[in-house]
Amino acid sequence: MQETLGRSIFDGALGFPLMVVRQDALEHNVATMAAFARDHGLELAPHVKTHMSAEIAALQLGAGAWGLTVATPRQAEAARGFGASRIMVANQVVDPAGLAWAAGELERDPAFEILSFADSVAGVGVLARHAGARPFRVLVELGHEGGRAGCRSLDDLLAVVACAQETPGVEPVGIAGYEGALKTADEVRKYLDSLQDAVAYLRVRDPILTVGGSQWFDVIGRELVATQARILLRSGAYVTHDDGYYRERTPFNRIQGELRPALEVWAHVLSTPEPGLTVVGMGKRDAPYDEGLPIPRRAGVTVTKMQDQHTLVRGDGLEVGDLLAFGISHPCTAFDKWRELPLVDQDYRVVGTIHTNF
């Protein structure tokens, strides 16, 4: 997109449908979360599975992020290419190829740090069998009933910790948790209490406690302030926010501050086959739909259905060839649909390119 720098997205140089990233909102969100973490004694390890973009990762690292969080070894390799010297894989790693890469990278670069999760003796064993000269540093994960991974009791967690402490090639360095599936602040507080108990029993030097942090970082900031551990917040979706799922769930609905939606999809009206029904040239291949349909920016327009390459909307006064803008719901399934996205200023002039690596 180098040839479009300085040009408007509407001057015919770029085709539609088109997802754009608004520079002002992106930079605002990065600065806002960096300030929140700093002001609450937390450190930010942003989850880059959301965007998998070197350009956005550079903004986050430049704003003071501890390092980058990923979900898989392949994402870890990409994050290493983004320039991260610290990476947290927020998952149990069992993939032999991924573990071989991690062991090799640890041996190649003494300054490189990679953390991963473990929630079972079997998982510790997998790590040990693939360890190299430097041990794999692990965060033992404590879950909750009805949640995803993680030990379901403190006794189970302590058994995994003991195993990791006794196993060559593995070094326990902290506790991990994920509170995003909990429904109320009271449930989150109780879960955070259990994580703090686990840290107290861990008995390692300079322990780490890592939590999710996209929907409940206000509670985390209040409840973990006195915890005797380094708190790593793995928030990810904040970086571009949205007009749907996270707009409704952001902690900034409860505390002072705001995040701004940074992603928009622009698409043409293709057909008006019957009164009140309009077909737009944007579909499931272009915008997320798993956590809510796109949100029209034009008053009186409603999305009723998405198909692979089309979106059906209802609204009056729409004509073939009209360009419509849509906000999105759920940024984590938006970026993966695009390999290049124009970064635009407030006048929709292209000021850069965001590349993704999925």
Side-chain angles (χ1 to χ4, degrees), residues 68-257:
L68 302 178
T69 298
V70 297
T72 69
R74 201 211 68 79
Q75 290 178 3
E77 290 189 54
R80 188 71 166 131
F82 299 163
S85 59
R86 292 171 172 160
I87 295 172
M88 179 177 1
V89 183
N91 236 331
Q92 169 80 60
V93 181
V94 299
D95 173 54
L99 290 169
W101 170 82
E105 198 69 6
L106 286 167
E107 185 171 359
R108 186 189 67 81
D109 183 358
F112 177 55
E113 183 175 355
I114 187 166
L115 310 176
S116 64
F117 291 5
D119 69 354
S120 68
V121 169
V124 171
V126 172
L127 294 173
R129 288 194 294 274
H130 293 86
R134 292 173 61 193
F136 286 129
R137 306 179 77 217
V138 299
L139 302 159
V140 182
E141 184 176 6
L142 181 64
H144 59 81
E145 185 177 354
R148 54 186 194 195
C151 301
R152 289 303 194 256
S153 72
L154 182 58
D155 287 343
D156 289 344
L157 178 136
L158 294 177
V160 177
V161 169
C163 175
Q165 289 172 330
E166 297 166 1
T167 301
V170 181
E171 178 188 359
V173 296
I175 300 297
Y178 174 66
E179 75 296 332
L182 297 170
K183 302 300 183 184
T184 70
D186 283 343
E187 290 176 333
V188 174
R189 280 190 287 268
K190 290 177 182 176
Y191 178 55
L192 295 177
D193 285 345
S194 68
L195 292 174
Q196 292 180 86
D197 289 342
V199 170
Y201 279 99
L202 186 60
R203 304 189 188 283
V204 301
R205 181 177 296 179
D206 301 323
I208 293 169
L209 172 57
T210 179
V211 286
S214 288
Q215 299 184 56
W216 296 106
F217 56 74
D218 57 331
V219 180
I220 291 165
R222 290 193 302 269
E223 296 298 314
L224 298 185
V225 64
T227 303
Q228 299 302 305
R230 168 179 283 183
I231 311 299
L232 298 182
L233 195 64
R234 305 191 305 271
S235 306
Y238 78 89
V239 74
T240 55
H241 196 46
D242 68 14
D243 287 289
Y245 184 88
Y246 284 103
R247 177 183 62 82
E248 296 174 357
R249 291 164 174 81
T250 176
F252 286 122
N253 291 332
R254 300 183 293 268
I255 61 175
Q256 186 174 3

Side-chain angles (χ1 to χ4, degrees), residues 285-342:
R285 299 182 186 276
D286 310 302
Y289 56 91
D290 59 311
E291 295 287 3
L293 297 175
I295 298 91
R297 292 284 170 82
R298 179 162 169 170
V301 176
T302 304
V303 172
T304 61
K305 186 176 182 179
M306 287 187 80
Q307 300 169 334
D308 286 351
Q309 306 285 179
H310 302 98
T311 293
L312 306 184
V313 307
R314 292 202 173 273
D316 296 325
L318 298 175
E319 299 181 1
V320 172
D322 284 350
L323 262 177
L324 297 180
F326 298 83
I328 61 98
S329 180
H330 198 199
C332 297
T333 51
F335 280 96
D336 62 320
K337 296 172 174 34
W338 301 85
R339 295 298 168 265
E340 291 187 339
L341 300 95

